[in-house]
């Protein structure tokens, strides 16, 4: 590989690392500064996950180009984090709705049944009987 | 150049970890604290990956993969405990 290519890869890895750090910091700052839990959920699940993804891709490029040991482990971690972040956010939001919100004050669902967290019917997929 | 970028990223994620710790301490509700702990796990994964680059060894990938899995499972367990008052029914 020529020197110019090496310099370009170095710039790419450094840029990815700086981007990852900025996104991670923005995510944690959002967790600290935003006013309530439903808005606070946005920052870590989006910005921080993207920051970690950037760090993992930078690590993959670094080990592939400069260490000659290319591997897809990092992509596996990135995929796992991208899959699990929405699930854990959904579960935390459900817990928040159950513990902190009043069922009468929630907006309408636009469907035949109410909010799944508060649904008293035996089978939530069926509309409640009148 | 990669060294300076690494130091910058270390600083960012370390500062983020401190912010998450503050949020976990002040709350105010239990889901807030669980969310802060979940974010702390993600930041620690990033720190481990960066430390792997810093040391030039691929040994930390397995550790961070295990950390990601245990973090997700503990978040699910916390959320389930808050929702049902029980983890395995």
């Amino acid at each position: 590989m020529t020197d110019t290519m090496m310099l370009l890869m170095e710039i790419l890895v450094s840029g990815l690392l700086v981007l990852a750090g900025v996104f991670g910091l923005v995510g944690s700052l959002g967790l600290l500064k935003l006013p309530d839990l439903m808005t606070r959920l946005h920052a870590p699940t989006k910005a921080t996950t993207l920051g970690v993804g950037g760090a993992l891709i930078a690590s993959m490029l670094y080990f592939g180009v400069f260490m000659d040991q290319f591997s897809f482990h990092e992509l596996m971690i990135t995929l796992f984090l991208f899959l699990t972040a929405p699930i854990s956010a959904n579960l935390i939001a459900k817990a928040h709705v159950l513990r902190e919100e009043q069922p009468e004050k929630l907006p309408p669902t636009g469907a035949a049944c109410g909010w799944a967290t508060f649904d008293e019917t035996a089978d939530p997929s069926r509309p409640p009987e009148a | 150049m990669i060294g300076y970028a690494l130091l910058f990223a270390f600083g960012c994620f370390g500062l983020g970890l401190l912010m998450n710790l503050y949020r976990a301490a002040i709350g105010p509700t239990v889901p807030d604290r669980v969310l802060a702990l979940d974010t702390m796990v993600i930041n620690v994964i990033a720190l481990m990956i960066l430390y792997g680059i810093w040391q030039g060894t691929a040994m930390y990938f397995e550790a961070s993969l295990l950390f990601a899995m245990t973090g997700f499972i503990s978040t699910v367990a916390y959320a389930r405990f808050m929702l049902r008052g029980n983890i395995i029914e």
Side-chain angles (χ1 to χ4, degrees):
Chain A
M1 202 177 283
T2 60
D3 282 350
T4 323
M5 279 289 283
M6 290 299 264
L7 184 66
L8 276 178
M9 290 311 283
E10 204 166 320
I11 290 172
L12 185 63
V13 171
S14 306
L16 273 171
L17 282 174
V18 170
L19 209 66
V22 168
F23 269 104
L25 191 62
V26 164
S28 298
L29 194 67
L31 182 74
L32 191 63
K33 295 298 282 185
L34 285 172
D36 61 11
L37 186 101
M38 283 302 196
T39 50
R40 248 178 247 145
L41 267 175
H42 289 288
T45 51
K46 294 178 184 71
T48 311
T49 312
L50 191 62
V52 176
L56 287 160
I57 290 170
S59 159
M60 192 171 75
L61 282 177
Y62 179 77
F63 280 106
V65 174
F66 298 101
M67 295 276 169
D68 285 330
Q69 37 183 235
F70 192 78
S71 75
F72 285 104
H73 290 198
E74 292 92 337
L75 272 187
M76 211 160 73
I77 305 175
T78 316
L79 191 69
F80 186 80
L81 281 177
F82 275 48
L83 282 177
T84 56
I87 300 173
S88 49
N90 184 19
L91 284 170
I92 292 172
K94 274 185 85 125
H96 169 75
V97 165
L98 180 72
R99 294 173 63 98
E100 314 292 336
E101 304 276 353
Q102 306 297 319
E104 310 85 48
K105 291 184 182 165
L106 289 172
T109 57
C113 34
W115 285 71
T117 314
F118 293 112
D119 210 353
E120 302 90 4
T121 50
D123 184 1
S125 62
R126 296 163 70 110
E129 288 157 28
Chain B
M1 184 158 55
I2 291 180
Y4 289 113
L6 261 179
L7 282 177
F8 177 77
F10 270 128
C12 283
F13 281 110
L15 200 62
L17 209 51
L18 280 180
M19 289 175 183
N20 296 338
L21 195 62
Y22 185 64
R23 174 54 74 190
I26 62 171
T29 65
V30 181
D32 273 312
R33 295 177 210 266
V34 175
L35 180 64
L37 289 178
D38 188 45
T39 317
M40 280 175 85
V41 168
I42 296 180
N43 277 339
V44 166
I45 292 168
L47 277 180
M48 283 163 96
I49 293 292
L50 294 176
Y51 191 67
I53 301 179
W54 184 261
Q55 295 282 310
T57 162
M59 204 175 66
Y60 293 94
F61 299 145
E62 281 81 11
S64 46
L65 189 58
L66 284 175
F67 223 83
M69 287 179 179
T70 25
F72 172 64
I73 293 194
S74 59
T75 309
V76 170
Y78 270 128
R80 182 141 184 89
F81 186 74
M82 283 189 289
L83 279 168
R84 308 285 295 179
N86 204 345
I87 296 173
I88 301 172
E89 291 174 62

